[in-house]
Amino acid sequence: MNERGRQTKVYLEIVKKIKEIIDENQLKPGGKLPSERELAEQLKVGRSSVREALRALELLGLIETRRGEGTFIADFRNHRLVEILSGFILTNEHAKKDVSETKQLIELAAIHLLIDQKKTIVDSYDFNQKKDRSRCFQKMFEQTDNYLLLKIWRILANFESSLNVNYHVGKERYIRLIQAINEGNREEADDLYRSIFTSFDHR
Amino acid sequence: MNERGRQTKVYLEIVKKIKEIIDENQLKPGGKLPSERELAEQLKVGRSSVREALRALELLGLIETRRGEGTFIADFRNHRLVEILSGFILTNEHAKKDVSETKQLIELAAIHLLIDQKKTIVDSYDFNQKKDRSRCFQKMFEQTDNYLLLKIWRILANFESSLNVNYHVGKERYIRLIQAINEGNREEADDLYRSIFTSFDHR
DNA sequence: ATTACAGGAGTGGTCTGACCACATAAAGTT
DNA sequence: AACTTTATGTGGTCAGACCACTCCTGTAAT
């Protein structure tokens, strides 16, 4: 596309092409991408442009690069954009609020979804650790059977933790929340979640 | 220097340096960064390495680049986190169901948020067009004052429309929904939203 | 003096070619 | 067979060359 006036920058198109290559070849995390020189020749662009695209994706943690070996698909869970973005965004109070708020909305939405689906949560976790909240919601999101929702939440959660926003909630509250969900008691689950996190609202 | 082992890749160090430059000079969105050549000379690195760093930051939406003019700090609220990641994450088969489901959850969450915020929607739109739904929710999300949420929703909406999932809902239902929101009637808004879109559920 | 235009300087966009550092497999040596 | 050397392929980095575009400035025409 983009006939005459190459409006789009080359490296952005290369990003798209790389995405296509991943799709077409069914590449999964760990899979190997063509070499930089190969990509350049194949797409008829300079190697430097290819590198700009690859470096951008690498900074995002979407690909992994090993000198002397090649470029590989990274496990999306290891995205490094947390540190990068947080460093730039930390100063922006608005973004901070957006992240926390959005995360809470999604968590609450997941709770509603679980109740609608009549799913139950197995609370076989040890809620005495710091990661209580993460593990609890991790389990919940997995139960929703909605990978997209899970991934969005993961990103937000990682992001938020990098902003040093910490919650200290006793495990008994999580257990009560899970009970309410398992019982399909929408109102109580709703109230419980709000009571747990409302006090931590940012302004 | 540091021959023993330049462990860190040059472009990553440049990213840090750029961050420092921004901090030291108190650069705000719209502020101008040194030129690529200037950065290269100043940091004693090649221009291509500088570009790799800048392109990565640009892909993230942290900086903005205008040919013939220079490189500028972008409004961090426009970060492209969601766009980039979504493109690489939404590859699986049941993405269709996840997208629709997640979008509906987020829409409902936004409705709840609006009600909690006691916001009101001005329904000055012409709901006789096909884009009814998009415009209606666009307006609603803008009112939530949560840019991140708006961005996530936009992605999902675009993605869904590309999957040829079309909704045909009369405008009167939107008007009733908005009324319920403006009245702060959570239950009715909830029911209205569900009644409107439940019938379109994907399995 | 004002306007219009041409040109220079600065900047990002892209490509090419050249090294270097490293990893791996093949070929050669013991 | 075990070890060593070599060749090849890969990412990492740099330097230089153009191009296209923006902006400013000096000159010429009005």
Side-chain angles (χ1 to χ4, degrees), chain A residues 168-183:
Chain A
H168 304 286
V169 181
K171 70 168 181 176
E172 67 285 345
R173 306 184 82 160
Y174 287 108
I175 293 177
R176 279 168 56 197
L177 177 59
I178 290 178
Q179 278 179 348
I181 293 174
N182 289 347
E183 293 167 0

Side-chain angles (χ1 to χ4, degrees), chain A residues 15-194:
Chain A
V15 168
K16 286 184 183 176
K17 289 295 176 67
I18 292 175
K19 200 190 307 177
E20 291 178 17
I21 290 176
I22 293 177
D23 292 343
E24 292 173 2
N25 299 40
Q26 300 271 20
L27 289 181
K28 298 179 180 179
K32 191 171 182 298
L33 280 172
S35 73
E36 296 179 352
R37 292 173 177 83
E38 199 172 335
L39 280 173
E41 187 182 10
Q42 198 170 314
L43 305 179
K44 299 187 185 67
V45 296
R47 189 184 158 209
S48 52
S49 292
V50 172
R51 279 187 63 80
E52 288 179 9
L54 289 176
R55 262 3 90 206
L57 293 179
E58 186 186 52
L59 187 69
L60 276 169
L62 294 175
I63 63 175
E64 189 181 340
T65 262
R66 293 197 285 273
R67 168 185 280 181
E69 299 183 54
T71 307
F72 307 84
I73 313 287
D75 187 339
F76 293 150
R77 272 166 292 203
N78 299 335
H79 47 70
R80 313 189 53 231
L81 65 136
V82 180
E83 309 111 47
I84 309 298
L85 271 179
S86 64
F88 281 85
I89 283 181
L90 247 169
T91 56
N92 191 324
E93 280 303 317
H94 202 104
K96 194 173 175 178
K97 163 194 144 300
D98 281 8
V99 170
S100 291
E101 187 177 85
T102 303
K103 174 161 160 284
Q104 291 185 22
L105 286 176
I106 286 183
E107 286 174 347
L108 196 52
I111 290 174
H112 293 163
L113 181 59
L114 283 172
I115 293 177
D116 287 347
Q117 293 175 337
K118 296 183 172 55
K119 292 270 179 67
T120 56
I121 319 274
V122 186
D123 57 344
S124 59
Y125 286 81
D126 175 17
F127 287 121
N128 284 319
Q129 301 187 10
K130 291 181 180 178
K131 288 293 182 181
D132 283 358
R133 188 172 197 235
S134 292
R135 293 165 100 197
C136 176
F137 278 101
Q138 170 86 22
K139 184 71 179 174
M140 284 170 50
F141 276 97
E142 287 173 0
Q143 280 295 314
T144 65
D145 196 36
N146 185 325
Y147 262 55
L148 177 59
L149 203 61
L150 171 60
K151 297 211 173 196
I152 293 177
W153 175 79
R154 269 204 196 124
I155 293 170
L156 295 175
N158 281 330
F159 207 97
E160 190 185 58
S161 71
S162 78
L163 297 177
N164 292 324
V165 180
N166 284 316
Y167 301 81
H168 304 286
V169 181
K171 70 168 181 176
E172 67 285 345
R173 306 184 82 160
Y174 287 108
I175 293 177
R176 279 168 56 197
L177 177 59
I178 290 178
Q179 278 179 348
I181 293 174
N182 289 347
E183 293 167 0
N185 193 332
R186 186 188 174 94
E187 280 72 21
E188 187 175 333
D190 216 282
D191 289 342
L192 270 171
Y193 180 84
R194 289 169 186 277

